[in-house]
Amino acid sequence: MNIDSISASPSAVPTPCSFRVLTDEERNASLRQSLEEVQWCEKQDLWVYGYGSLIWRPDFEFAEQRQALLRGYHRALCLWSRINRGTPEQPGLVFGLDVGGSCRGMAFRIPAESVPKVFDALWLREMPSGAYIPRWLRCRTSQGDIRALVFTMNRKTDAYVPRMPDEQLRQVVYSAQGTNGPCIEYVMETASALQRSKILDKRLQSVVQLLQSHTALLNPQQA
Protein backbone atom coordinates (compact mmCIF):
# COMPACT_ATOMS: atom_id res chain seq x y z
CA MET A 1 0.00 0.00 0.00
CA ASN A 2 1.27 3.45 -0.92
CA ILE A 3 0.80 5.31 2.37
CA ASP A 4 0.82 8.70 0.66
CA SER A 5 -2.10 7.67 -1.55
CA ILE A 6 -4.52 6.68 1.22
CA SER A 7 -5.92 10.19 1.59
CA ALA A 8 -5.08 11.37 -1.91
CA SER A 9 -7.85 12.56 -4.19
CA PRO A 10 -7.92 11.31 -7.79
CA SER A 11 -5.42 13.19 -9.91
CA ALA A 12 -6.94 15.33 -12.65
CA VAL A 13 -6.01 14.04 -16.09
CA PRO A 14 -4.84 16.89 -18.33
CA THR A 15 -7.02 17.60 -21.34
CA PRO A 16 -5.65 16.67 -24.78
CA CYS A 17 -5.85 20.29 -25.94
CA SER A 18 -3.50 21.39 -23.14
CA PHE A 19 -0.61 19.31 -24.50
CA ARG A 20 1.99 21.13 -26.56
CA VAL A 21 5.25 19.85 -28.00
CA LEU A 22 8.24 22.20 -27.93
CA THR A 23 9.28 23.60 -31.27
CA ASP A 24 12.72 22.69 -32.63
CA GLU A 25 13.86 26.21 -31.78
CA GLU A 26 12.64 25.95 -28.17
CA ARG A 27 14.20 22.54 -27.66
CA ASN A 28 17.53 23.57 -29.19
CA ALA A 29 17.58 26.73 -27.07
CA SER A 30 17.10 24.62 -23.93
CA LEU A 31 19.99 22.37 -24.95
CA ARG A 32 22.28 25.31 -25.66
CA GLN A 33 21.42 26.89 -22.32
CA SER A 34 22.29 23.70 -20.44
CA LEU A 35 25.67 23.39 -22.16
CA GLU A 36 26.38 27.05 -21.47
CA GLU A 37 25.57 26.57 -17.79
CA VAL A 38 28.25 23.94 -17.46
CA GLN A 39 30.60 25.99 -19.67
CA TRP A 40 31.13 23.00 -21.90
CA CYS A 41 34.10 22.97 -24.28
CA GLU A 42 34.69 20.49 -27.08
CA LYS A 43 37.37 18.57 -25.14
CA GLN A 44 35.25 18.05 -22.01
CA ASP A 45 33.48 14.77 -21.17
CA LEU A 46 30.06 15.15 -19.56
CA TRP A 47 28.06 12.99 -17.16
CA VAL A 48 24.37 12.12 -17.51
CA TYR A 49 22.34 10.78 -14.58
CA GLY A 50 19.71 8.12 -15.26
CA TYR A 51 16.97 7.08 -12.85
CA GLY A 52 14.30 5.55 -15.12
CA SER A 53 14.52 4.06 -18.60
CA LEU A 54 17.99 5.53 -19.12
CA ILE A 55 19.25 2.85 -16.72
CA TRP A 56 18.06 -0.07 -18.85
CA ARG A 57 17.83 1.58 -22.29
CA PRO A 58 20.29 4.47 -22.55
CA ASP A 59 20.41 4.28 -26.38
CA PHE A 60 23.80 5.98 -26.48
CA GLU A 61 27.44 4.96 -26.17
CA PHE A 62 29.28 5.91 -23.02
CA ALA A 63 32.83 5.65 -21.77
CA GLU A 64 32.02 4.80 -18.16
CA GLN A 65 29.07 3.86 -15.97
CA ARG A 66 28.80 4.35 -12.20
CA GLN A 67 26.08 3.84 -9.62
CA ALA A 68 25.37 7.30 -8.21
CA LEU A 69 23.49 8.84 -5.30
CA LEU A 70 21.61 12.09 -5.83
CA ARG A 71 20.43 13.97 -2.74
CA GLY A 72 17.50 16.37 -2.62
CA TYR A 73 15.28 14.49 -5.10
CA HIS A 74 13.46 11.17 -5.16
CA ARG A 75 12.22 8.91 -7.98
CA ALA A 76 8.43 9.01 -8.39
CA LEU A 77 5.74 8.28 -10.96
CA CYS A 78 4.90 11.96 -11.02
CA LEU A 79 4.81 12.77 -14.74
CA TRP A 80 1.93 12.32 -17.17
CA SER A 81 3.39 10.78 -20.33
CA ARG A 82 1.54 11.79 -23.48
CA ILE A 83 4.05 10.57 -26.06
CA ASN A 84 6.47 7.86 -24.91
CA ARG A 85 4.17 5.81 -22.64
CA GLY A 86 0.77 7.31 -23.33
CA THR A 87 -1.16 9.66 -25.58
CA PRO A 88 -2.79 13.07 -25.05
CA GLU A 89 -6.15 11.28 -24.91
CA GLN A 90 -4.96 8.52 -22.55
CA PRO A 91 -1.81 9.60 -20.68
CA GLY A 92 0.48 7.15 -18.96
CA LEU A 93 2.84 7.69 -16.05
CA VAL A 94 6.62 7.88 -16.12
CA PHE A 95 9.24 8.64 -13.53
CA GLY A 96 10.39 12.11 -12.64
CA LEU A 97 12.67 13.39 -9.91
CA ASP A 98 10.51 15.21 -7.38
CA VAL A 99 11.84 17.40 -4.59
CA GLY A 100 12.88 15.76 -1.33
CA GLY A 101 14.74 12.68 -0.16
CA SER A 102 17.39 10.99 -2.28
CA CYS A 103 17.67 8.73 -5.31
CA ARG A 104 20.11 6.04 -6.41
CA GLY A 105 20.59 5.70 -10.14
CA MET A 106 23.27 5.37 -12.81
CA ALA A 107 25.66 8.00 -14.12
CA PHE A 108 27.08 7.71 -17.62
CA ARG A 109 30.21 9.50 -18.83
CA ILE A 110 29.79 10.76 -22.38
CA PRO A 111 33.05 11.30 -24.32
CA ALA A 112 33.57 14.89 -25.42
CA GLU A 113 33.42 14.05 -29.12
CA SER A 114 30.03 12.34 -28.64
CA VAL A 115 28.38 15.10 -26.59
CA PRO A 116 26.69 17.00 -29.47
CA LYS A 117 25.09 13.88 -30.96
CA VAL A 118 24.17 12.25 -27.63
CA PHE A 119 22.74 15.40 -26.07
CA ASP A 120 20.68 16.22 -29.15
CA ALA A 121 19.15 12.73 -28.96
CA LEU A 122 18.63 13.12 -25.20
CA TRP A 123 16.67 16.35 -25.69
CA LEU A 124 14.49 14.71 -28.33
CA ARG A 125 13.79 11.85 -25.94
CA GLU A 126 13.46 13.62 -22.59
CA MET A 127 12.35 17.14 -23.50
CA PRO A 128 9.57 16.88 -26.10
CA SER A 129 7.24 19.07 -24.01
CA GLY A 130 9.48 20.75 -21.44
CA ALA A 131 8.04 18.76 -18.52
CA TYR A 132 11.54 18.33 -17.12
CA ILE A 133 13.99 20.96 -15.91
CA PRO A 134 17.57 20.01 -16.88
CA ARG A 135 19.96 20.70 -14.02
CA TRP A 136 23.65 20.11 -13.34
CA LEU A 137 23.74 18.48 -9.91
CA ARG A 138 26.38 16.88 -7.74
CA CYS A 139 26.11 13.10 -7.48
CA ARG A 140 28.06 10.86 -5.14
CA THR A 141 29.81 7.76 -6.51
CA SER A 142 32.23 5.28 -4.96
CA GLN A 143 35.00 6.81 -7.09
CA GLY A 144 34.23 10.37 -5.99
CA ASP A 145 31.66 13.10 -6.57
CA ILE A 146 30.69 14.11 -10.10
CA ARG A 147 28.53 16.82 -11.62
CA ALA A 148 25.92 15.33 -13.91
CA LEU A 149 23.03 16.40 -16.09
CA VAL A 150 19.81 15.50 -14.29
CA PHE A 151 16.28 15.81 -15.68
CA THR A 152 14.16 16.98 -12.73
CA MET A 153 10.39 17.40 -12.59
CA ASN A 154 8.91 20.74 -13.60
CA ARG A 155 6.16 21.14 -11.01
CA LYS A 156 4.69 24.16 -12.81
CA THR A 157 3.35 22.17 -15.77
CA ASP A 158 0.07 20.27 -16.00
CA ALA A 159 2.18 17.16 -16.53
CA TYR A 160 3.05 17.06 -12.82
CA VAL A 161 1.29 14.45 -10.67
CA PRO A 162 1.92 15.21 -6.97
CA ARG A 163 -0.01 12.20 -5.62
CA MET A 164 -2.36 9.55 -6.98
CA PRO A 165 -4.63 6.98 -5.29
CA ASP A 166 -3.63 3.35 -5.73
CA GLU A 167 -6.62 2.35 -7.83
CA GLN A 168 -6.16 5.23 -10.27
CA LEU A 169 -2.46 4.44 -10.55
CA ARG A 170 -3.21 0.80 -11.39
CA GLN A 171 -5.72 1.80 -14.04
CA VAL A 172 -3.38 4.31 -15.66
CA VAL A 173 -0.33 2.04 -15.71
CA TYR A 174 -2.25 -0.94 -17.09
CA SER A 175 -4.19 0.95 -19.76
CA ALA A 176 -1.73 3.49 -21.22
CA GLN A 177 0.54 2.90 -24.18
CA GLY A 178 2.70 5.27 -26.22
CA THR A 179 5.29 5.33 -28.98
CA ASN A 180 7.80 3.45 -26.80
CA GLY A 181 5.34 0.79 -25.68
CA PRO A 182 3.03 0.03 -22.75
CA CYS A 183 3.30 1.96 -19.50
CA ILE A 184 3.33 -1.27 -17.48
CA GLU A 185 6.41 -2.43 -19.39
CA TYR A 186 8.21 0.81 -18.54
CA VAL A 187 7.50 0.52 -14.81
CA MET A 188 8.41 -3.16 -14.53
CA GLU A 189 11.56 -2.85 -16.65
CA THR A 190 12.75 0.00 -14.43
CA ALA A 191 12.09 -2.06 -11.32
CA SER A 192 13.96 -5.03 -12.78
CA ALA A 193 16.92 -2.86 -13.79
CA LEU A 194 17.21 -1.45 -10.27
CA GLN A 195 17.03 -4.94 -8.81
CA ARG A 196 19.80 -6.18 -11.12
CA SER A 197 21.93 -3.23 -10.03
CA LYS A 198 21.12 -3.95 -6.36
CA ILE A 199 19.50 -0.54 -5.94
CA LEU A 200 16.78 -0.51 -3.29
CA ASP A 201 13.79 1.76 -3.94
CA LYS A 202 11.00 1.14 -1.42
CA ARG A 203 8.55 3.46 -3.22
CA LEU A 204 8.96 1.57 -6.48
CA GLN A 205 8.73 -1.78 -4.71
CA SER A 206 5.40 -0.65 -3.29
CA VAL A 207 4.14 0.22 -6.77
CA VAL A 208 5.28 -3.15 -8.13
CA GLN A 209 3.43 -4.95 -5.33
CA LEU A 210 0.26 -3.03 -6.19
CA LEU A 211 0.55 -3.97 -9.85
CA GLN A 212 1.32 -7.61 -9.11
CA SER A 213 -1.62 -7.89 -6.72
CA HIS A 214 -3.89 -6.57 -9.47
CA THR A 215 -2.51 -9.16 -11.90
CA ALA A 216 -3.14 -11.92 -9.35
CA LEU A 217 -6.77 -10.84 -9.02
CA LEU A 218 -7.24 -10.91 -12.80
CA ASN A 219 -5.44 -14.25 -13.18
CA PRO A 220 -6.01 -16.22 -9.93
CA GLN A 221 -4.75 -19.44 -11.56
CA GLN A 222 -1.32 -17.80 -11.95
CA ALA A 223 -1.16 -16.52 -8.38
Side-chain angles (χ1 to χ4, degrees):
M1 175 70 66
N2 181 354
I3 297 176
D4 290 339
S5 72
I6 293 177
S7 60
S9 300
S11 296
V13 180
T15 61
C17 63
S18 71
F19 181 64
R20 186 180 78 86
V21 176
L22 295 181
T23 65
D24 291 343
E25 292 77 11
E26 289 171 325
R27 191 179 63 254
N28 291 334
S30 171
L31 172 54
R32 287 195 304 271
Q33 181 180 353
S34 288
L35 292 177
E36 289 171 0
E37 286 178 4
V38 79
Q39 298 180 336
W40 181 70
C41 64
E42 295 181 356
K43 296 182 179 180
Q44 178 185 3
D45 293 356
L46 293 178
W47 288 90
V48 174
Y49 180 81
Y51 55 89
S53 62
L54 285 178
I55 295 178
W56 49 273
R57 188 175 60 81
D59 286 346
F60 54 74
E61 294 184 1
F62 49 88
E64 185 181 357
Q65 177 180 344
R66 299 181 189 177
Q67 190 175 133
L69 173 65
L70 173 67
R71 296 192 182 279
Y73 294 87
H74 65 275
R75 182 189 295 107
L77 286 171
C78 62
L79 171 60
W80 289 114
S81 176
R82 290 169 279 187
I83 296 179
N84 293 341
R85 298 291 172 170
T87 66
E89 293 74 24
Q90 189 171 28
L93 286 170
V94 292
F95 291 105
L97 284 175
D98 206 356
V99 177
S102 63
C103 178
R104 289 193 179 274
M106 288 291 177
F108 304 90
R109 181 165 62 85
I110 312 301
E113 62 273 15
S114 301
V115 166
K117 179 180 179 180
V118 168
F119 272 55
D120 186 58
L122 270 177
W123 252 253
L124 283 169
R125 171 175 171 168
E126 305 293 338
M127 293 289 290
S129 64
Y132 288 131
I133 300 175
R135 303 180 190 272
W136 294 96
L137 301 176
R138 187 169 300 278
C139 302
R140 177 170 296 178
T141 79
S142 59
Q143 298 98 318
D145 290 357
I146 60 173
R147 192 183 185 194
L149 173 71
V150 182
F151 291 100
T152 66
M153 187 65 219
N154 184 353
R155 285 185 161 197
K156 295 182 179 180
T157 72
D158 68 352
Y160 177 54
V161 185
R163 288 193 301 172
M164 180 178 288
D166 293 340
E167 183 55 36
Q168 184 183 10
L169 186 147
R170 279 195 291 257
Q171 292 175 359
V172 170
V173 171
Y174 269 102
S175 60
Q177 180 165 332
T179 57
N180 288 344
C183 185
I184 181 67
E185 174 193 60
Y186 167 85
V187 175
M188 300 305 288
E189 286 284 359
T190 301
S192 296
L194 294 180
Q195 186 176 29
R196 290 193 300 271
S197 300
K198 298 181 179 180
I199 296 175
L200 177 63
D201 186 321
K202 293 183 179 179
R203 290 185 181 88
L204 180 51
Q205 285 183 340
S206 176
V207 170
V208 169
Q209 289 171 1
L210 285 169
L211 297 174
Q212 289 175 336
S213 65
H214 181 67
T215 301
L217 289 174
L218 292 177
N219 302 283
Q221 70 277 11
Q222 296 180 9

